[in-house]
Amino acid sequence: MADQGAADPGNNNNNKPEASEGTIIKVTVKTPKDKEEIAIAEDASVTQFKEEISRRFKAKQDQLVLIFAGKILKDGDSLSQHGIKDGLTVHLVIKTAHKGGDGGSTSASSSSSTQAGSTSTSSPGTNPSSTAGPTGPAPPPTQTPNILTGFGDLASLAGLGMGSANFMELQQQMQRQLMSNPEMLSQIMENPLVQNMMSNPDLMRQMIMANPQMQQLMERNPEISHMLNNPELMRQTMELARNPAMMQEMMRNQDRALSNLESIPGGYNALRRMYTDIQEPMFSAAREQFGSNPFSALGGSSESGAQPSRTENREPLPNPWGPPNSSNPSESGGGTTGSTSTTGGTNPSVSNPLGINPGSLGNGMFNSPGMQSLLQQISENPQLMQNMLSAPYMRSMMQSLAQNPELASQVLMNNPLFAGNPQLQEQFRAQLPIFLQQMQNPEALSVMTNPRAMQALMQIQQGLQTLQTEAPGLMPSLMSGGIPGIPTGGGLPTENPASSPSSAGTNTAQQQLMQQMLQMFAGGGGGGGATTQTPEVRFQSQLDQLNAMGFINREANLQALIATGGDINAAIERLLGSQPS
Amino acid sequence: MDQTGSFPVKLYIYDLSRGMARQLSPVMLGKQLDGIWHTAIVVHGKEYFFVGEGINWCSPGGTPLGEPLSIVDLGYTEVPAELFTEYLTSLTESTYSRDKYNLFEHNCNTFSNEVAQFLTGKKIPSYITDLPSEVLSTPFGQALRPLLDSIVINPGGNNITGQR
């Protein structure tokens, strides 16, 4: 009976046959740091149990305190007295000599490092199990920090726009993981192969650029390619990567800046945008070479099935008045950018930049108080919208969405607002390209960032609501709970002949009324954009000219032209200005 | 030995979204979530919770969150304050250090659950611990996941190890 623990050295820890009367039960003993399964006789006493435990955990019996179901197990008790049965868990605290001290609990202090590796978030950074030595996994983990710190450096270079907070988030995660396991990082760094590789900037650059997604990324964000092409910067980056302390220091600074950014009202969302635009593709780009993108599983498979670099993160479109889409992290202060909106899609056009669907304004979603308050918050907080929309990455996100209507539609379709309404989905799908293009339209953007404009819109909506109740005959389509109504909102004119999805028989008179209203609105808000053609059509000749001059990036050209209202010279300057020589 | 006193153990439940989740979740997520739950364990006259800084404590109801939305009685524990502090210290050194905080998988509710089990053998209500998976099962939650992973919540209090 004193023989408990006929230890089998070298065997798996469990299953020490206890020679006693009664059956053997397996009880899990859990410390704050660890847990072990201990087999003991069912009718053993607490003392015997403690003997076993002290052996297993290598602590003195006096130090052991066992707790089960809130009760402290005293030596004189028996296990069965407390109801300890097979498969149950007993908690153990190993007392230290002095209080609040160094946690005398032994048992697998190495467990902390494995836990450190595994509990960190799914940042791709480092594979916890890779240690110095293996050449295979070693480069990938450093690859990511290189890229990241590279961009982190960018952040400290002023005014490169996208360099800033965006990558800091990336780095935050990286930092966290790395910090939680510093030995790992230094091990990696010490690997001679890694050092070799890192001291060769050309090689690094090649590796990074070889990744097609990275290339796409670079295309969309010329700053990246600039960064990569700057050997000085690369060298600095690698220096940084080699010196974890320095890296941490820098990350910490950025961390601080980042949290400042987070605290401003619109900042959170802006960050999210940035993240989705850059980090996602970054991650995928980095990981694709060396493994699967941890985030693609989250989004890629469920949503687009398109390139993993763009997952449903693209979903938010900040137009509160356009077709519904959701955009915020619900947590606190939900009132950021516009999610919500009309239940009827509408065809946005130049003169109707927000794509307001006259037929369904004042319906459905708007009526819910939650939405109302959201909208109010939006109109009260122009800063929010501004942050959101003025970011360059927002633009590129829009671009990517515009280029990838399939994806965008999928993303939006999954939005629960759409879920029950296939007709709506159809409409929206058709209008998507226009809509997206509109989002890029600075006019539209400026309207949205203009608080007075937003307020005016809200007033219109409220007015319509009133109208709806007062004079239902005027807007019969509104009655039917806000449906697909009018896809061709106001000012449809030119646009897409291709997209005139079902107009569910609405009142044409009312439609015209709305059209006029919206045209006026657009005329006033659009700054003399009296033409009703797409910017592309409008600027066709200018585009050609730019092309001839050697500006082959049609997207950028268009943007510049739109921004400058067709002025070629100004556009050229813009284009040149945005591409740091 | 320690006296076999009996100390009541309570679970304080807060809604971080202050009601907004209840209103907006059907729209945002497509499913109804009644709150974004934050919990803390109150025992020995102190409120303990796990946040971005690590395990913190304060006087009950003393965080900026104010009074809890609801209080669940978890029963009694014999574990005295001294032992509990040791236990928490070991936790801080192992699985609940400040860098282990993860909004979805290893958050304040994970901590409350574990401590509740340690003290009383009971778990906290499942609707609280199920919250992350509820959110993650929506496409919206998944979209946000990478972002949310990097968030930590820091509602104040004193760090258990005396550092901040």
Side-chain angles (χ1 to χ4, degrees):
Chain A
M1 189 171 53
D3 256 352
Q4 294 158 1
D8 278 342
N11 207 350
N12 44 357
N13 292 344
N14 304 334
N15 296 341
K16 290 193 188 171
E18 312 298 339
S20 280
E21 321 90 15
T23 44
I24 308 294
I25 56 177
K26 291 211 183 42
V27 180
T28 305
V29 177
K30 195 160 184 272
T31 65
K33 292 193 170 36
D34 194 22
K35 74 177 179 197
E36 298 251 355
E37 212 179 66
I38 299 207
I40 187 128
E42 197 176 31
D43 58 354
S45 71
V46 171
T47 316
Q48 292 164 333
F49 195 31
K50 280 195 179 175
E51 270 179 37
E52 189 52 39
I53 292 177
S54 88
R55 234 186 305 252
R56 189 77 72 78
F57 285 86
K58 303 194 191 13
K60 299 224 270 298
Q61 269 182 258
D62 301 340
Q63 290 176 296
L64 307 178
V65 181
L66 288 169
I67 295 124
F68 181 73
K71 297 208 187 25
I72 299 190
L73 307 182
K74 304 199 203 354
D75 290 351
D77 301 339
S78 77
L79 296 185
S80 52
Q81 187 181 336
H82 284 283
I84 299 176
K85 299 199 190 2
D86 188 33
L88 293 181
T89 300
V90 172
H91 294 272
L92 171 70
V93 178
I94 302 182
K95 288 206 276 204
T96 53
H98 51 107
K99 269 203 273 252
D102 351 318
S105 40
T106 56
S107 69
S109 51
S110 60
S111 70
S112 61
S113 60
T114 33
Q115 274 165 345
S118 56
T119 55
S120 60
T121 68
S122 54
S123 60
T126 44
N127 184 354
S129 56
S130 79
T131 50
T135 60
T142 51
Q143 179 75 352
T144 335
N146 273 339
I147 298 175
L148 299 184
T149 53
F151 292 125
D153 251 333
L154 242 194
S156 50
L157 302 174
L160 280 189
M162 65 154 225
S164 57
N166 175 18
F167 295 101
M168 301 201 297
E169 269 195 57
L170 208 57
Q171 287 165 4
Q172 244 189 2
Q173 284 192 15
M174 273 298 305
Q175 173 192 8
R176 212 166 277 132
Q177 183 161 24
L178 286 179
M179 278 192 355
S180 65
N181 200 347
E183 317 91 59
M184 178 170 63
L185 180 62
S186 47
Q187 278 170 353
I188 289 171
M189 291 301 169
E190 275 156 31
N191 184 353
L193 177 68
V194 167
Q195 281 183 345
N196 218 354
M197 201 178 67
M198 293 206 305
S199 47
N200 183 352
D202 278 320
L203 180 58
M204 292 301 287
R205 190 177 68 238
Q206 265 177 8
M207 282 179 70
I208 295 175
M209 302 213 323
N211 185 331
Q213 281 174 336
M214 193 58 88
Q215 280 168 2
Q216 268 176 359
L217 198 63
M218 289 199 319
E219 244 176 285
R220 281 191 273 138
N221 299 300
E223 290 93 353
I224 296 186
S225 48
H226 171 66
M227 194 278 299
L228 283 175
N229 287 330
N230 181 350
E232 190 46 54
L233 195 48
M234 289 291 280
R235 206 163 296 132
Q236 219 178 342
T237 298
M238 284 183 279
E239 236 344 282
L240 206 58
R242 232 192 298 246
N243 184 350
M246 192 156 77
M247 182 159 73
Q248 278 179 11
E249 184 52 42
M250 194 181 65
M251 284 186 182
R252 240 179 284 255
N253 288 341
Q254 286 162 358
D255 237 335
R256 229 168 284 140
L258 181 60
S259 46
N260 286 343
L261 202 60
E262 256 182 352
S263 58
I264 64 183
Y268 185 76
N269 231 47
L271 287 182
R272 199 163 70 84
R273 291 289 169 285
M274 289 187 285
Y275 166 79
T276 56
D277 184 47
I278 305 291
Q279 184 173 357
E280 261 291 332
M282 282 293 309
F283 269 145
S284 320
R287 292 306 282 170
E288 221 193 34
Q289 271 181 312
F290 309 110
S292 58
N293 179 2
F295 300 110
S296 63
L298 292 180
S301 50
S302 69
E303 288 271 346
S304 53
Q307 318 146 22
S309 69
R310 308 194 193 124
T311 67
E312 73 269 12
N313 288 336
R314 292 285 176 265
E315 62 178 323
L317 296 177
N319 181 358
W321 297 87
N325 48 65
S326 70
S327 104
N328 318 327
S330 53
E331 310 270 333
S332 46
T336 49
T337 68
S339 29
T340 118
S341 59
T342 68
T343 49
T346 212
N347 194 354
S349 65
V350 173
S351 51
N352 181 4
L354 299 186
I356 294 176
N357 178 350
S360 57
L361 275 184
N363 256 339
M365 297 309 312
F366 279 155
N367 291 336
S368 101
M371 278 316 147
Q372 291 285 2
S373 69
L374 247 183
L375 289 175
Q376 267 172 1
Q377 277 187 341
I378 291 166
S379 50
E380 281 156 18
N381 195 350
Q383 192 58 31
L384 229 83
M385 293 297 286
Q386 210 135 35
N387 285 343
M388 280 269 331
L389 296 170
S390 56
Y393 31 78
M394 173 55 90
R395 197 146 297 178
S396 37
M397 177 182 90
M398 294 300 180
Q399 278 176 7
S400 66
L401 262 185
Q403 288 158 10
N404 201 355
E406 184 56 40
L407 170 69
S409 67
Q410 277 185 346
V411 156
L412 287 159
M413 289 322 130
N414 274 341
N415 183 311
L417 294 176
F418 275 119
N421 203 339
Q423 228 176 343
L424 188 58
Q425 290 180 14
E426 271 320 300
Q427 281 189 10
F428 192 65
R429 215 166 278 163
Q431 298 151 16
L432 208 48
I434 303 300
F435 178 69
L436 291 173
Q437 194 179 44
Q438 285 313 312
M439 293 315 300
Q440 300 179 17
N441 183 346
E443 292 176 2
L445 298 184
S446 64
V447 168
M448 279 192 279
T449 58
N450 182 352
R452 286 178 297 287
M454 294 301 299
Q455 274 175 350
L457 282 173
M458 284 208 37
Q459 282 174 358
I460 294 178
Q461 177 223 329
Q462 279 163 6
L464 281 171
Q465 246 176 336
T466 321
L467 257 185
Q468 189 178 349
T469 48
E470 301 289 330
L474 186 58
M475 311 198 165
S477 72
L478 299 185
M479 284 303 116
S480 41
I483 303 91
I486 320 178
T488 67
L492 170 77
T494 74
E495 257 34 340
N496 260 337
S499 81
S500 38
S502 49
S503 48
T506 29
N507 190 340
T508 43
Q510 161 225 335
Q511 204 173 344
Q512 281 165 5
L513 172 73
M514 293 308 302
Q515 275 189 20
Q516 285 169 10
M517 246 177 63
L518 283 162
Q519 264 176 351
M520 277 184 353
F521 156 76
T531 68
T532 51
Q533 300 163 311
T534 63
E536 279 197 38
V537 173
R538 257 198 291 165
F539 298 134
Q540 190 54 47
S541 64
Q542 284 97 329
L543 273 174
D544 288 345
Q545 281 181 325
L546 286 175
N547 260 333
M549 281 191 250
F551 292 100
I552 49 180
N553 185 348
R554 194 182 167 75
E555 227 65 46
N557 291 351
L558 197 55
Q559 286 303 317
L561 282 170
I562 293 174
T564 59
D567 178 351
I568 291 200
N569 286 330
I572 291 178
E573 275 185 289
R574 241 185 137 76
L575 286 170
L576 287 177
S578 75
Q579 291 165 12
S581 72
Chain B
M1 267 270 223
D2 315 324
Q3 75 278 31
T4 54
S6 244
F7 308 98
V9 179
K10 299 227 187 315
L11 179 74
Y12 276 21
I13 305 179
Y14 302 84
D15 176 9
L16 287 178
S17 73
R18 299 198 187 271
M20 296 210 73
R22 186 185 293 261
Q23 268 193 343
L24 296 179
S25 59
V27 173
M28 300 277 179
L29 297 177
K31 66 164 69 163
Q32 176 71 31
L33 290 181
D34 284 338
I36 308 292
W37 307 117
H38 165 83
T39 54
I41 295 283
V42 173
V43 67
H44 306 132
K46 295 206 191 63
E47 178 174 341
Y48 295 91
F49 46 93
F50 177 57
V51 288
E53 294 174 339
I55 301 180
N56 280 10
W57 65 268
C58 64
S59 63
T63 65
L65 295 171
E67 287 301 309
L69 193 67
S70 67
I71 302 181
V72 173
D73 189 357
L74 294 175
Y76 292 88
T77 186
E78 281 180 8
V79 175
E82 202 184 281
L83 187 64
F84 185 56
T85 309
E86 277 219 36
Y87 167 74
L88 288 180
T89 311
S90 317
L91 277 187
T92 294
E93 284 157 10
S94 58
T95 49
Y96 288 93
S97 54
R98 56 192 298 163
D99 49 343
K100 299 285 195 314
Y101 187 90
N102 178 289
L103 193 71
F104 280 113
E105 309 204 331
H106 200 68
N107 57 20
C108 52
N109 302 327
T110 324
F111 171 75
S112 298
N113 207 8
E114 188 154 338
V115 172
Q117 288 181 62
F118 171 77
L119 289 176
T120 65
K122 297 202 194 106
K123 297 192 181 178
I124 67 179
S126 61
Y127 71 86
I128 297 173
T129 42
D130 285 344
L131 183 70
S133 58
E134 288 273 334
V135 170
L136 286 178
S137 68
T138 67
F140 189 77
Q142 294 215 338
L144 284 188
R145 175 172 193 164
L147 179 76
L148 294 177
D149 267 349
S150 64
I151 296 177
V152 293
I153 309 244
N154 273 317
N158 307 302
N159 190 281
I160 194 94
T161 62
Q163 314 156 355
R164 285 202 72 111

